[in-house]
Amino acid sequence: MIQAAAALAAAHFAAPLAYYLYAKRWLRRPWDVEARDGYTPYITIIVPTYNEAPLIEAKLDDIARQDYPPDKLQIIVVDSASTDGTPEKAERWARQRRAPLEVLREPQRNGKAHALNLALRHARGDIVVITDADSHWPDPQTLRRAARWLSDPTIGAVTCLKRPAGRRGVEATYRDYYNVLRLAESKMWATPIFHGELAAFRKELLEKIGGFPAHLGADDSHTAVLIAASGYRAIAAEDLHCVELVPKQYWRWRVRRAQHLVQHFAASLRLKTPRRFKLPLYAEAYLHLVNPWLLPGAAASLAASGGLPALALLGAGLAALLYKPYRAWVAMQLYLMAGAVRNLWTRDLAWRKEEKTATASRR
Ligand code: GDD
Ligand code: MN
């Protein structure tokens, strides 16, 4: 039993470590893209909202700070039956600023992707940029930079690297590790994880894949994977940064996001994909769907084998939780398992609004 536990634990930690070390080698490689400076296609920015009244004006101000030709920018807020006056606030912002803004309203809430598809039908841009209301882009050149990457005909989608607002904590530790993987995977071919804080897509490709996938929660990542599966690169770029607010109910938020990632990877396994995309896709699918379960498997076999050495090992595993990176890792595994289980009774496509404050997180 103790050998079985050791094997499970070794496999659990070795697989992500090996992938991470392999990925790091890719970081040094060139991008292999031909991007054109000064490329300014027509862009449609879509902000999906559900009860974002405290944040919507700051979000629109942030977009307005972008250095991009105004005549090449369409901004759409698509709201799904908010009860806190979000669309009215957006309209007032547009009147006061005399800024062209289209506010679309869904009479009923059917989830974010459903709303994005409504907005997509109104989009005139060659490029469609999705951005969540609770995020911002620190650099005014963000749109220009995103457009520059998309000037390469092999790139179909681009996303940002993200960091949490506020002081550094577990969430930030987790982000450092993940951003390395996102960049490395992007250099391999495409990353299967995109961010709703900034996800830019070529519109013709969105239309080709039939719009945003409304049957699962991680619309941002799954759209990127569908585009990568159709033969285009979907990348996270090193010069695109976004900041997101971390809600107070951290644990519930993480479980829901994990739940959506599980839905996304399970669906991605059914796709036929280009050769260069197989490694990042299958590695991430394994890390999200299978690898977490080896950890309780190891703990259970230790507990079952009883005896002093086994219990001492179990105790050491628990004591190591005092070490922050290890704790962040274990927490992530728990979120993924909780998410997989929760998927058995709900897909949570119209999720509970979490409370976030503009000054952000305590974590
Ligand atoms: N129109 C509309 N309709 N917008 C919605 C709905 C809806 O039913 N539900 C959520 N939104 C909006 C929110 O107002 C926000 O602007 C954005 O979608 C993201 O929602 P958050 O509540 O901030 O969720 P998050 O920060 O955890 O979202 C992340 O994970 C999601 C998947 O779990 C982001 O990466 C999202 O892009 C991703 O879809
Ligand atoms: Mn958010």
Side-chain angles (χ1 to χ4, degrees):
M1 265 322 212
I2 215 167
Q3 286 86 343
L8 285 171
H12 173 84
F13 291 104
L17 188 65
Y19 183 55
Y20 180 75
L21 294 176
Y22 174 76
K24 272 204 125 165
R25 300 197 1 215
W26 273 87
L27 275 191
R28 291 195 296 269
R29 303 212 191 166
W31 274 101
D32 192 19
V33 299
E34 272 169 44
R36 249 188 304 141
D37 286 323
Y39 172 64
T40 51
Y42 198 118
I43 295 184
T44 298
I45 300 185
I46 303 176
V47 185
T49 59
Y50 173 68
N51 284 352
E52 298 287 5
L55 298 174
I56 188 64
E57 287 153 314
K59 177 63 191 175
L60 294 170
D61 282 339
D62 189 62
I63 292 175
R65 273 193 291 274
Q66 283 297 307
D67 168 30
Y68 204 81
D71 57 325
K72 289 196 169 167
L73 206 55
Q74 176 191 20
I75 308 175
I76 300 179
V77 167
V78 59
D79 186 84
S80 308
S82 285
T83 51
D84 67 349
T86 301
E88 293 77 12
K89 261 193 150 172
E91 276 161 354
R92 187 156 12 104
W93 178 92
R95 272 198 309 277
Q96 284 169 354
R97 291 287 220 121
R98 290 171 210 277
L101 172 74
E102 290 162 51
V103 179
L104 305 176
R105 296 164 197 245
E106 286 195 308
Q108 250 189 25
R109 186 178 181 210
N110 290 310
K112 179 186 158 197
H114 190 273
L116 294 180
N117 283 326
L118 168 64
L120 184 59
R121 293 197 283 279
H122 292 255
R124 294 188 297 272
D126 305 306
I127 289 175
V128 171
V129 175
I130 309 303
T131 183
D132 295 343
D134 60 342
S135 67
H136 70 270
W137 305 334
D139 180 355
Q141 301 300 317
T142 301
L143 278 181
R144 281 185 186 272
R145 293 183 202 273
R148 183 176 169 278
W149 288 102
L150 286 160
S151 70
D152 180 304
T154 65
I155 297 182
V158 56
T159 193
C160 58
L161 298 180
K162 83 181 181 177
R163 66 174 162 83
R167 86 189 163 76
R168 292 181 57 86
V170 172
E171 180 67 15
T173 310
Y174 157 81
R175 280 290 148 215
D176 291 346
Y177 170 78
Y178 275 73
N179 284 341
V180 165
L181 293 183
R182 294 297 81 79
L183 279 178
E185 292 164 345
S186 301
K187 287 189 172 180
M188 292 177 206
W189 176 254
T191 178
I193 298 190
F194 256 50
H195 303 309
E197 289 72 20
L198 191 171
F201 305 103
R202 242 179 245 286
K203 192 175 74 180
E204 49 172 330
L205 297 179
L206 286 177
E207 284 162 352
K208 210 167 92 183
I209 62 169
F212 296 93
H215 61 291
L216 45 73
D219 56 90
D220 33 24
S221 297
H222 204 63
T223 305
V225 163
L226 290 172
I227 284 178
S230 77
Y232 293 81
R233 292 179 70 177
I235 63 165
E238 60 217 344
D239 59 356
L240 295 178
H241 296 273
C242 44
V243 180
E244 73 166 331
L245 299 185
V246 177
K248 289 192 189 123
Q249 294 107 330
Y250 185 77
W251 153 260
R252 195 171 54 207
W253 176 67
R254 275 252 153 262
V255 170
R256 186 250 303 156
R257 283 165 65 140
Q259 190 179 350
H260 287 164
L261 285 175
V262 168
Q263 293 170 10
H264 153 58
F265 281 110
S268 299
L269 290 178
R270 291 195 281 272
L271 300 171
K272 224 177 113 39
T273 53
R275 195 179 45 80
R276 285 180 64 185
F277 188 41
K278 289 194 192 303
L279 176 71
L281 180 63
Y282 294 142
E284 290 293 350
Y286 173 80
L287 292 177
H288 284 82
L289 300 178
V290 181
N291 200 51
W293 298 92
L294 303 188
L295 200 57
S301 15
L302 274 183
S305 65
L308 209 54
L311 293 180
L313 277 176
L314 198 57
L318 289 173
L321 290 172
L322 292 170
Y323 178 55
K324 199 169 87 181
Y326 175 76
R327 187 164 69 237
W329 174 262
V330 172
M332 186 64 203
Q333 312 309 303
L334 293 176
Y335 300 143
L336 285 166
M337 288 182 279
V341 172
R342 198 156 181 269
N343 269 334
L344 296 176
W345 66 89
T346 172
R347 291 176 82 74
D348 209 7
L349 296 184
W351 56 85
R352 213 187 133 118
K353 173 89 229 146
E354 310 284 3
E355 197 195 320
K356 293 159 199 151
T357 46
T359 47
S361 84
R362 306 167 305 157
R363 287 179 189 264

